[in-house]
Amino acid sequence: MEKETKNFIEKIIEEDLRTGKYGGRVHTRFPPEPNGYLHIGHAKSICLNFGIAEKYGGLCNLRFDDTNPLKEEEEYVRSIIEDVRWLGFDWGDRLYYASDYFDRLYECAVELIKKGKAYVDDLSAEEIRRYRGTLTEPGRESPYRNRSVEENLELFERMRRGEFAEGEKVLRAKIDMASGNINMRDPVMYRIIKASHHRTGDKWCIYPTYDFTHPLSDSFEGITHSLCTLEFEDHRPLYDWFLDELELYHPQQIEFARLNLSYTVLSKRKLTRLVEEGHVSGWDDPRMPTIAGMRRRGYTPEAIREFCDRIGVAKANSIVDFELLEHCLREDLNKRAQRVMVVLDPVRLVITNYPEDKVEYLEAVNNPEDPMAGTRKVPFCRELYIEQDDFMEEPPRKFYRLAPGREVRLKHAYIIRCEDYEKDTETGRITTIYCTYDPESRSGATQQRKVKATLHWVSAGHAMDVEVRLYDRLFSVPNPDDKRQCPDFIDCINPESLKILKECKAEPSLKGASPGERFQFLRLGYFCVDPDSTEDNLVFNRTVTLKDTWAKMKEKFSQ
RNA sequence: UGGGGAGUCGUCUAAUGGCAGGACGGCAGACUCUGGAUCUGCUUGUAGGGGUUCGAAUCCUCUCUCCCCAGCCA
């Protein structure tokens, strides 16, 4: 049993539980804006919020932060619900929308006006910006700042009724134009947007901003711990201010560092650009770090959750090695994926002493890690395919596979010996390898000789042609966000992030595999059936390679 | 030259006054009908300078570096 270590948020919660701060309740929420697809960074937040609720016997709400009709779409709501559910979390009947609170929010705004804590400003966006001051100089008060409560009430009501044009007026909180914290320099609470909203339609033409909406939504829902990312640290005084001024139930905002992953980007803006400029095939392109992309690639929810567990939660910015993600993936897939044999880059191999028309059905273990997975029969005959990579005319030291005069085992079958080979004189490519087999060496036979290597293979007469898409990391540098390395991150896209292989040779048991099914292609990696598959053209996505010490050695030799 | 945060092995993260630990990566070995899996071992770290203390990653102090904020985005 590993010693449990608590992150700083859990420590705060346990302290609150101990002191009875929220009456022993723990209630969190995951509050996405429906303006894009969820990615692995969101998964961290989802696992944190739902995980903490579960750990402390509390609840976690799913709430759409939909206060900006210009950017939000139903399509994103749909995908977010699907993705959170796929990750394995349940919000019961607590699916909420900030737009559900528009009426109450409006009432709260009116109350602040009545208290003299909010005012309607006629300054233009540009003027407001200039009045705001800079990071080092204080701002100036708007000439409209001291309107009477009555006038503010009337103007705000007229804003709601649509009597003003977009940008003509805003409602602002009256706080402190000289504050060192720019968020406190009379932040905008309501702006006029004459667009129809995906849920409220044309009921409203004024929409509350995030800063005003978020604390109140948390409060309305009885959230205890409102977990968000570091960039909102500066907003916490404002979060507190609204709740205090309105004398509402007051949740506690706690900030943590968002996830960064090496060799990828996780900003919505950049992901959107990848999709819109066609650098990837869509939000669910298997190279995308989106949940939808990872799902299509063959990731499991379990692997993603394990990853989120292991990266921890802290307040320091960091970039997690993608190797940790791959480790979690392999660890999970190793336990569950059925093994099959597929030859990606085939070369013909003839067993000269094997009868011309004989076929044997050899028993193959489906998953050595899982005895319950059973066995299957794999056809074996005189003519087979093996990988081009598994044969070398002049093998270097440490190459254990097939070469002239060498012996290897064919997995689940016999030991063979290479007697001869043919090659295309023009391309230098090996066309046929001739071997003899040892009939006494069949798998499972009692007396076994040892050979250095075991190869996967497919019977030529029974093989099924399939398409395989080999995916690699989307970017060729560890940190595509680094402007010094990538002035434009698009230029750091890995040109070899996708390689499509047609006419790969698969063992016949794969026939009828359906989209989403995951397999280990023996010695190669984990693959999953892509939805692009048709009856006669199965398409596999490479989820992740197996760890490959030989590939690593080759790389070192070549350096 | 305002305000808010953060600095611990290559990476992520524990240890809050008492032996700097774990995971990933890397390296070496064992085992293996997957060069997979598994197992074993090894390596490397408290940003810097002062101070308090028997004892400091932890407390005090000065310095350095990095991140966030000037949307009517979230």
Side-chain angles (χ1 to χ4, degrees):
Chain A
M1 190 69 189
E2 252 173 56
K3 191 175 136 226
E4 191 208 7
T5 68
K6 295 180 185 75
N7 63 52
F8 79 100
I9 294 175
E10 292 169 329
K11 285 175 190 159
I12 291 171
I13 289 175
E14 290 185 15
E15 177 64 10
D16 290 344
L17 252 19
R18 197 182 63 76
T19 61
K21 183 169 177 184
Y22 296 104
R25 281 188 317 118
V26 174
H27 201 152
T28 56
R29 100 270 94 112
F30 174 63
E33 184 190 13
N35 69 342
Y37 277 62
L38 259 25
H39 55 65
I40 182 73
H42 295 109
K44 174 180 180 178
S45 177
I46 293 166
C47 292
L48 214 213
N49 278 294
F50 282 94
I52 276 186
E54 191 176 3
K55 177 168 180 175
Y56 295 103
L59 298 169
C60 180
N61 300 350
L62 176 59
R63 179 172 77 229
F64 288 98
D65 221 329
D66 55 350
T67 56
N68 186 351
L70 263 15
K71 296 191 171 178
E72 295 144 11
E73 288 174 32
E74 193 56 44
E75 154 70 359
Y76 296 127
V77 170
R78 200 214 88 251
S79 74
I80 289 168
I81 287 176
E82 181 185 1
D83 290 347
V84 179
R85 200 167 270 151
W86 179 77
L87 279 173
F89 297 105
D90 180 25
W91 48 90
D93 58 357
R94 298 175 317 283
L95 171 62
Y96 300 128
Y97 295 81
S99 53
D100 291 341
Y101 310 134
F102 282 174
D103 287 303
R104 294 169 78 181
L105 257 9
Y106 183 84
E107 291 309 314
C108 288
V110 167
E111 194 182 329
L112 282 177
I113 292 172
K114 286 180 179 163
K115 287 185 70 175
K117 298 291 186 177
Y119 63 99
V120 172
D121 197 350
D122 296 2
L123 255 27
S124 69
E126 169 60 23
E127 288 167 324
I128 286 180
R129 191 170 61 75
R130 282 206 305 270
Y131 273 78
R132 188 151 36 221
T134 69
L135 293 179
T136 51
E137 306 155 36
R140 286 140 52 213
E141 296 186 351
S142 164
Y144 304 98
R145 196 176 198 255
N146 293 311
R147 292 214 248 230
S148 69
V149 167
E150 292 67 33
E151 188 181 4
N152 281 319
L153 248 18
E154 191 205 323
L155 288 172
F156 186 48
E157 165 64 17
R158 289 175 60 196
M159 275 172 68
R160 187 186 64 79
R161 285 205 303 258
E163 293 184 23
F164 304 112
E166 282 189 17
E168 203 178 331
K169 286 182 167 44
V170 290
L171 182 72
R172 292 228 252 170
K174 191 191 281 191
I175 308 180
D176 176 10
M177 290 306 291
S179 172
N181 181 347
I182 289 176
N183 295 298
M184 300 300 268
R185 319 238 263 231
D186 290 10
V188 171
M189 293 167 56
Y190 268 91
R191 69 286 213 202
I192 298 168
I193 301 175
K194 301 204 168 170
S196 101
H197 184 277
H198 71 105
R199 302 208 77 222
T200 59
D202 296 321
K203 178 175 177 192
W204 298 90
C205 64
I206 57 171
Y207 291 91
T209 57
Y210 165 87
D211 282 318
F212 182 58
T213 309
H214 209 86
L216 304 204
S217 302
D218 282 345
S219 180
F220 297 158
E221 293 176 18
I223 299 304
T224 56
H225 303 269
S226 178
L227 314 180
C228 63
T229 45
L230 253 27
E231 67 269 26
F232 294 102
E233 237 162 352
D234 284 349
H235 295 241
R236 188 173 359 111
L238 183 52
Y239 182 104
D240 293 338
W241 187 89
F242 281 123
L243 263 12
D244 289 342
E245 291 299 334
L246 289 163
E247 298 175 61
L248 291 172
Y249 162 78
H250 199 144
Q252 177 180 5
Q253 174 177 306
I254 303 170
E255 310 85 12
F256 64 92
R258 57 161 13 119
L259 171 69
N260 295 291
L261 240 199
S262 60
Y263 294 100
T264 193
V265 295
L266 291 180
S267 92
K268 253 183 209 174
R269 205 203 102 244
K270 287 178 180 167
L271 294 177
T272 305
R273 205 177 140 201
L274 286 171
V275 172
E276 285 180 352
E277 293 180 7
H279 302 289
V280 296
S281 66
W283 285 101
D284 70 341
D285 185 298
R287 290 166 294 182
M288 290 283 275
T290 50
I291 304 300
M294 294 170 79
R295 176 168 58 232
R296 185 165 175 187
R297 172 89 168 240
Y299 276 77
T300 61
E302 290 81 359
I304 294 173
R305 279 193 263 126
E306 176 65 20
F307 171 73
C308 291
D309 257 14
R310 290 208 201 180
I311 55 176
V313 180
K315 293 195 70 156
N317 301 98
S318 62
I319 303 178
V320 177
D321 271 349
F322 81 100
E323 274 103 343
L324 180 58
L325 215 209
E326 294 200 327
H327 169 82
C328 296
L329 220 209
R330 290 190 182 107
E331 186 178 59
D332 187 41
L333 258 14
N334 177 49
K335 284 182 295 190
R336 65 207 297 174
Q338 172 169 335
R339 274 62 169 171
V340 292
M341 295 197 287
V342 176
V343 175
L344 265 27
D345 183 16
V347 57
R348 210 165 72 103
L349 183 151
V350 178
I351 301 172
T352 54
N353 62 339
Y354 196 86
E356 198 83 44
D357 48 5
K358 181 172 174 182
V359 182
E360 283 181 276
Y361 287 86
L362 304 172
E363 184 164 69
V365 170
N366 284 334
N367 184 352
E369 306 293 320
D370 176 13
M372 297 302 284
T375 62
R376 70 188 184 287
K377 298 287 189 185
V378 184
F380 181 87
C381 55
R382 178 183 163 92
E383 212 167 294
L384 313 169
Y385 293 113
I386 65 164
E387 299 285 351
Q388 287 274 357
D389 276 358
D390 284 339
F391 176 83
M392 285 185 95
E393 288 179 89
E394 290 163 31
R397 259 176 60 77
K398 299 273 194 179
F399 182 86
Y400 302 148
R401 284 110 97 147
L402 203 58
R406 287 267 193 93
E407 280 192 333
V408 297
R409 171 171 290 283
L410 294 176
K411 181 75 180 173
H412 307 308
Y414 300 94
I415 291 176
I416 57 169
R417 178 191 164 84
C418 175
E419 308 290 355
D420 198 6
Y421 61 96
E422 276 170 11
K423 99 176 169 182
D424 184 318
T425 46
E426 292 202 352
T427 62
R429 195 173 164 90
I430 307 298
T431 51
T432 307
I433 300 166
Y434 296 97
C435 294
T436 52
Y437 85 116
D438 173 2
E440 305 301 312
S441 66
R442 182 166 160 167
S443 281
T446 42
Q447 277 198 339
Q448 291 297 355
R449 286 187 285 140
K450 298 277 182 204
V451 288
K452 271 288 204 183
T454 299
L455 309 186
H456 63 279
W457 52 273
V458 173
S459 161
H462 303 82
M464 170 174 55
D465 279 10
V466 298
E467 176 178 332
V468 174
R469 298 174 182 171
L470 301 179
Y471 294 102
D472 200 351
R473 51 183 81 149
L474 224 203
F475 291 92
S476 48
V477 299
N479 184 7
D481 288 324
D482 185 351
K483 286 270 187 289
R484 285 164 303 207
Q485 263 190 90
C486 301
D488 183 1
F489 76 104
I490 293 293
D491 297 328
C492 289
I493 290 179
N494 175 9
E496 307 201 322
S497 62
L498 169 58
K499 212 163 129 192
I500 298 177
L501 304 178
K502 310 257 186 183
E503 292 170 4
C504 299
K505 307 295 181 183
E507 66 168 71
S509 73
L510 242 14
K511 193 168 170 53
S514 44
E517 268 193 86
R518 303 181 185 93
F519 298 92
Q520 184 195 99
F521 290 3
L522 224 60
R523 301 209 302 137
L524 297 174
Y526 297 96
F527 293 76
C528 114
V529 181
D530 190 84
D532 282 350
S533 296
T534 60
E535 178 109 6
D536 39 44
N537 185 45
L538 269 182
V539 178
F540 289 93
N541 296 322
R542 183 172 68 195
T543 310
V544 64
T545 61
L546 251 26
K547 279 205 272 180
D548 188 344
T549 41
W550 170 244
K552 207 184 283 174
M553 283 168 81
K554 270 201 305 195
E555 214 172 296
K556 249 186 268 176
F557 292 158
S558 66
Q559 276 167 7

